[in-house]
mmCIF file of all heavy atoms in Angstrom:
data_model
loop_
_atom_site.group_PDB
_atom_site.id
_atom_site.type_symbol
_atom_site.label_atom_id
_atom_site.label_comp_id
_atom_site.label_asym_id
_atom_site.label_seq_id
_atom_site.Cartn_x
_atom_site.Cartn_y
_atom_site.Cartn_z
ATOM 1 N N GLU B 179 80.405 -85.945 -83.925
ATOM 2 C CA GLU B 179 81.566 -86.264 -83.091
ATOM 3 C C GLU B 179 82.610 -86.997 -83.898
ATOM 4 O O GLU B 179 82.303 -87.936 -84.619
ATOM 5 C CB GLU B 179 81.134 -87.117 -81.890
ATOM 6 C CG GLU B 179 80.753 -86.255 -80.702
ATOM 7 C CD GLU B 179 80.175 -87.078 -79.587
ATOM 8 O OE1 GLU B 179 80.568 -88.266 -79.477
ATOM 9 O OE2 GLU B 179 79.333 -86.546 -78.838
ATOM 10 N N TYR B 180 83.845 -86.533 -83.786
ATOM 11 C CA TYR B 180 84.945 -87.166 -84.494
ATOM 12 C C TYR B 180 85.863 -87.858 -83.506
ATOM 13 O O TYR B 180 85.962 -87.446 -82.354
ATOM 14 C CB TYR B 180 85.778 -86.109 -85.230
ATOM 15 C CG TYR B 180 85.167 -85.584 -86.491
ATOM 16 C CD1 TYR B 180 85.519 -84.322 -86.967
ATOM 17 C CD2 TYR B 180 84.267 -86.344 -87.225
ATOM 18 C CE1 TYR B 180 84.996 -83.823 -88.133
ATOM 19 C CE2 TYR B 180 83.737 -85.837 -88.401
ATOM 20 C CZ TYR B 180 84.096 -84.582 -88.847
ATOM 21 O OH TYR B 180 83.582 -84.096 -90.000
ATOM 22 N N LEU B 181 86.544 -88.851 -84.021
ATOM 23 C CA LEU B 181 87.598 -89.491 -83.244
ATOM 24 C C LEU B 181 88.898 -88.796 -83.631
ATOM 25 O O LEU B 181 89.515 -89.144 -84.621
ATOM 26 C CB LEU B 181 87.638 -90.971 -83.625
ATOM 27 C CG LEU B 181 88.174 -91.919 -82.586
ATOM 28 C CD1 LEU B 181 87.251 -91.961 -81.370
ATOM 29 C CD2 LEU B 181 88.319 -93.306 -83.176
ATOM 30 N N LEU B 182 89.279 -87.782 -82.850
ATOM 31 C CA LEU B 182 90.442 -87.001 -83.235
ATOM 32 C C LEU B 182 91.699 -87.472 -82.527
ATOM 33 O O LEU B 182 91.643 -87.858 -81.352
ATOM 34 C CB LEU B 182 90.208 -85.529 -82.892
ATOM 35 C CG LEU B 182 89.159 -84.790 -83.726
ATOM 36 C CD1 LEU B 182 88.789 -83.475 -83.066
ATOM 37 C CD2 LEU B 182 89.667 -84.550 -85.125
ATOM 38 N N PRO B 183 92.844 -87.433 -83.202
ATOM 39 C CA PRO B 183 94.104 -87.725 -82.519
ATOM 40 C C PRO B 183 94.335 -86.672 -81.421
ATOM 41 O O PRO B 183 93.908 -85.524 -81.567
ATOM 42 C CB PRO B 183 95.161 -87.586 -83.618
ATOM 43 C CG PRO B 183 94.440 -87.429 -84.895
ATOM 44 C CD PRO B 183 93.025 -87.096 -84.614
ATOM 45 N N GLN B 184 95.008 -87.082 -80.363
ATOM 46 C CA GLN B 184 95.159 -86.218 -79.199
ATOM 47 C C GLN B 184 95.672 -84.804 -79.522
ATOM 48 O O GLN B 184 95.066 -83.824 -79.081
ATOM 49 C CB GLN B 184 96.057 -86.905 -78.159
ATOM 50 C CG GLN B 184 96.087 -86.240 -76.792
ATOM 51 C CD GLN B 184 94.698 -86.169 -76.153
ATOM 52 O OE1 GLN B 184 93.843 -87.024 -76.417
ATOM 53 N NE2 GLN B 184 94.451 -85.143 -75.345
ATOM 54 N N PRO B 185 96.776 -84.679 -80.286
ATOM 55 C CA PRO B 185 97.283 -83.317 -80.543
ATOM 56 C C PRO B 185 96.236 -82.421 -81.208
ATOM 57 O O PRO B 185 96.097 -81.253 -80.864
ATOM 58 C CB PRO B 185 98.459 -83.548 -81.493
ATOM 59 C CG PRO B 185 98.830 -84.968 -81.348
ATOM 60 C CD PRO B 185 97.607 -85.706 -80.946
ATOM 61 N N LEU B 186 95.458 -82.986 -82.147
ATOM 62 C CA LEU B 186 94.430 -82.211 -82.824
ATOM 63 C C LEU B 186 93.359 -81.776 -81.838
ATOM 64 O O LEU B 186 92.883 -80.639 -81.859
ATOM 65 C CB LEU B 186 93.788 -83.049 -83.923
ATOM 66 C CG LEU B 186 94.251 -82.813 -85.356
ATOM 67 C CD1 LEU B 186 93.582 -83.786 -86.300
ATOM 68 C CD2 LEU B 186 93.975 -81.387 -85.775
ATOM 69 N N LEU B 187 93.008 -82.690 -80.978
ATOM 70 C CA LEU B 187 91.967 -82.422 -79.998
ATOM 71 C C LEU B 187 92.350 -81.235 -79.119
ATOM 72 O O LEU B 187 91.542 -80.352 -78.836
ATOM 73 C CB LEU B 187 91.776 -83.683 -79.139
ATOM 74 C CG LEU B 187 90.440 -83.822 -78.431
ATOM 75 C CD1 LEU B 187 89.311 -83.858 -79.449
ATOM 76 C CD2 LEU B 187 90.434 -85.085 -77.580
ATOM 77 N N GLU B 188 93.630 -81.216 -78.731
ATOM 78 C CA GLU B 188 94.105 -80.137 -77.865
ATOM 79 C C GLU B 188 94.002 -78.789 -78.559
ATOM 80 O O GLU B 188 93.601 -77.798 -77.945
ATOM 81 C CB GLU B 188 95.568 -80.396 -77.451
ATOM 82 C CG GLU B 188 95.679 -81.360 -76.277
ATOM 83 C CD GLU B 188 97.108 -81.847 -76.095
ATOM 84 O OE1 GLU B 188 98.039 -81.100 -76.479
ATOM 85 O OE2 GLU B 188 97.275 -82.970 -75.596
ATOM 86 N N VAL B 189 94.373 -78.765 -79.833
ATOM 87 C CA VAL B 189 94.323 -77.500 -80.565
ATOM 88 C C VAL B 189 92.876 -77.048 -80.760
ATOM 89 O O VAL B 189 92.542 -75.879 -80.560
ATOM 90 C CB VAL B 189 95.038 -77.636 -81.932
ATOM 91 C CG1 VAL B 189 94.875 -76.361 -82.740
ATOM 92 C CG2 VAL B 189 96.499 -77.952 -81.726
ATOM 93 N N ILE B 190 92.033 -78.007 -81.123
ATOM 94 C CA ILE B 190 90.639 -77.691 -81.393
ATOM 95 C C ILE B 190 89.952 -77.107 -80.156
ATOM 96 O O ILE B 190 89.066 -76.278 -80.245
ATOM 97 C CB ILE B 190 89.905 -78.975 -81.858
ATOM 98 C CG1 ILE B 190 90.410 -79.414 -83.210
ATOM 99 C CG2 ILE B 190 88.408 -78.771 -81.931
ATOM 100 C CD1 ILE B 190 90.110 -78.453 -84.309
ATOM 101 N N ASP B 191 90.411 -77.550 -79.013
ATOM 102 C CA ASP B 191 89.826 -77.066 -77.768
ATOM 103 C C ASP B 191 90.030 -75.571 -77.569
ATOM 104 O O ASP B 191 89.337 -74.937 -76.787
ATOM 105 C CB ASP B 191 90.426 -77.832 -76.577
ATOM 106 C CG ASP B 191 89.426 -78.823 -76.022
ATOM 107 O OD1 ASP B 191 88.252 -78.716 -76.422
ATOM 108 O OD2 ASP B 191 89.813 -79.681 -75.215
#
Side-chain angles (χ1 to χ4, degrees):
Chain B
E179 270 173 29
Y180 283 155
L181 206 66
L182 290 166
Q184 191 59 29
L186 260 176
L187 202 60
E188 278 167 27
V189 175
I190 292 295
D191 254 348

